[in-house]
Amino acid sequence: MAGEIQIMIPQYGELNRIYSDFLISHTFSFDRQKFITDFYKQYNDTKAFEAAILELVLTMD
């Protein structure tokens, strides 16, 4: 999971952009809905995510 964090961070940024755009336009496309669904299906295990973040932080100088 720790290796996936480097992949996940840009996706998380895109998720935040989608939410920000939604607050302005009050709509989003099917592709954006699919991105949100896929993101949460892939990263729904928050305990594993938190453990990977801690591992990454603790191994850095």
Side-chain angles (χ1 to χ4, degrees):
M1 180 80 177
E4 291 181 37
I5 290 175
Q6 294 176 348
I7 296 168
M8 196 226 36
I9 290 174
Q11 292 178 343
Y12 189 74
E14 178 63 20
L15 185 67
N16 284 335
R17 282 188 288 282
I18 290 170
Y19 287 149
S20 295
D21 290 346
F22 176 76
L23 291 174
I24 294 167
S25 67
H26 303 289
T27 61
F28 47 65
S29 67
F30 175 77
D31 290 335
R32 288 184 166 200
Q33 292 176 35
K34 185 176 181 324
F35 179 86
I36 292 168
T37 302
D38 292 344
F39 180 87
Y40 282 110
K41 282 182 180 177
Q42 187 172 1
Y43 301 110
N44 65 353
D45 186 2
T46 57
K47 290 194 184 294
F49 174 70
E50 290 169 355
I53 291 284
L54 285 173
E55 178 185 332
L56 180 67
V57 169
L58 295 174
T59 58
M60 297 179 75
D61 291 335

